[in-house]
Amino acid sequence: MNSDRQLGRPSWLARNRMALISLTAVAAYAVFVEWIWGWLALMRQWAEVGLAPVLSALALLVATYFVRCYRIYDYFPNETAGRFLTLLRLTQIHNLLNIMLPFRAGETSFPLLMRSEFGVPLLRGTSALFVMRLLDLHALLFVAAIGVVIGTSGQAAWWVLWLLGFVSPLVFFLLKARVLAVARRMAPGRLKPYLEEVEAGLPDHVSTFLRAWAMTLLNWAVKVVILAWVLALMGVAPFAASFGGALGGELSSVLPVHAPAGVGTYAAAIVAGAISFGAAGDAATLGVLGRASVNAHLLVIVSAAAGTLLSLGLKPKN
């Protein structure tokens, strides 16, 4: 009897695979930071900012991971019901792999993990991830576009164009049924089952789409404002330049061209964004921007590791 139960029970490795992957990724980050910059040097640089601002920024960045997790929890209500903490751990693993692997290769982990943990078919998980990434990119681009419109003296025509672009996701969603109907008519018979899975990964109702969109906007608004505040504390001026730097860094994290752990690409995008939004280009300012961009990048890395450790500590009930 006992042997039958043991045979039917998953192995220890299978039961703890998510925790093991998480701990391995966190350990890899710790070694990586020590190798590239050194933790002591990092602590000295952050000591100049002050403990309270650093911890506040870190706590708020970790809070955005709960918002992102809730977006997926609400997107897959039937599959994830009552398992928010398990989903939080999954999303943190996905986030760490996404940061660590180049060219967005970590994105492949999301549909695989959703299938493993929640039984979501691969095509459905991939379709949902595609929708979320489009919303992420749209949110960042149109926040950046605010600065462009203001730079044109805020003419009414530019604001109208911005507004039309801002509401474009809702327009595309409302056209979803027509587009899918055309795709079903044109698709060969053998592809129709796959098309059905792709359709299942799209929001069913306007209310579902609007909640996902709202969570997207909230997540990126908080993250960009926090990073802009941190950059300002590190001497990046004016604040518009800090804002542009935060936008630049986060845009680099959602685009396909992404170095492992964002090394080089994230910091360079912060510098480019800050200069585009009004930072000076002299040697002294570039030195400040360079140091601030590396520290902001490290804050993002540490927040990802802290979020993963927190997700491990918040064990779901069996």
Side-chain angles (χ1 to χ4, degrees), residues 138-148 162 166 217 220-221 224 243 247 277:
H138 172 268
L140 286 169
L141 285 175
F142 277 88
V143 170
I146 293 176
V148 176
W162 180 89
F166 181 74
L217 294 173
W220 289 112
V224 168
F243 185 72
L247 277 172
F277 276 67

Side-chain angles (χ1 to χ4, degrees), residues 154-308:
Q155 296 177 6
W158 286 103
W159 280 114
V160 171
L161 287 174
W162 180 89
L163 183 61
L164 290 174
F166 181 74
V167 300
S168 60
L170 179 59
V171 175
F172 285 124
F173 175 78
L174 294 176
L175 294 173
K176 179 191 72 168
R178 295 182 181 180
V179 173
L180 288 173
V182 172
R184 280 192 292 269
R185 286 198 302 270
M186 297 180 63
R190 65 181 183 276
L191 294 181
K192 288 185 178 179
Y194 300 104
L195 184 60
E196 289 174 1
E197 286 297 335
V198 170
E199 183 179 356
L202 304 177
D204 291 328
H205 308 289
V206 173
S207 58
T208 304
F209 174 80
L210 290 177
R211 288 196 302 271
W213 192 16
M215 291 298 103
T216 301
L217 294 173
L218 176 62
N219 169 69
W220 289 112
V222 172
K223 192 169 186 180
V224 168
V225 169
I226 293 304
L227 289 175
W229 174 54
V230 168
L231 288 171
L233 290 175
M234 293 178 184
V236 177
F239 187 77
S242 298
F243 185 72
L247 277 172
E250 289 306 301
L251 270 172
S252 77
S253 71
V254 301
L255 293 175
V257 181
H258 178 69
V263 175
T265 55
Y266 192 92
I270 288 179
V271 173
I275 292 175
S276 299
F277 276 67
D282 58 275
T285 302
L286 288 177
V288 171
L289 277 173
R291 290 189 296 272
S293 65
V294 170
N295 281 326
H297 181 211
L298 288 174
L299 179 64
V300 171
I301 290 176
V302 171
S303 71
T308 303

Side-chain angles (χ1 to χ4, degrees), residues 33-171:
V33 170
E34 177 61 32
W35 177 45
I36 298 295
W37 295 286
W39 283 100
L40 287 178
L42 174 64
M43 293 301 104
R44 283 196 297 269
Q45 292 169 344
W46 279 107
E48 298 176 3
V49 175
L51 183 62
V54 171
L55 292 180
S56 298
L58 186 61
L60 288 168
L61 287 175
V62 170
T64 64
Y65 298 133
F66 286 84
V67 175
R68 292 165 69 174
C69 181
Y70 181 77
R71 178 175 69 166
I72 299 171
Y73 186 79
D74 184 67
Y75 203 97
F76 295 101
N78 296 326
E79 294 82 358
T80 62
R83 301 183 64 193
F84 182 85
L85 294 180
T86 300
L87 182 62
L88 178 65
R89 188 178 298 181
L90 183 152
T91 56
Q92 288 306 108
I93 292 173
H94 171 232
N95 184 50
L96 278 174
L97 291 174
N98 228 354
I99 294 173
M100 178 177 286
L101 298 177
F103 303 109
R104 313 298 298 169
E107 294 285 26
T108 58
S109 66
F110 178 79
L112 291 172
L113 289 169
M114 287 297 290
R115 183 181 65 175
S116 172
E117 293 298 320
F118 298 101
V120 176
L122 279 176
L123 276 176
R124 185 181 175 195
T126 303
S127 175
L129 178 64
F130 183 68
V131 171
M132 293 179 195
R133 286 296 174 255
L134 286 178
L135 289 176
D136 290 338
L137 184 60
H138 172 268
L140 286 169
L141 285 175
F142 277 88
V143 170
I146 293 176
V148 176
V149 173
I150 293 174
T152 61
S153 301
Q155 296 177 6
W158 286 103
W159 280 114
V160 171
L161 287 174
W162 180 89
L163 183 61
L164 290 174
F166 181 74
V167 300
S168 60
L170 179 59
V171 175

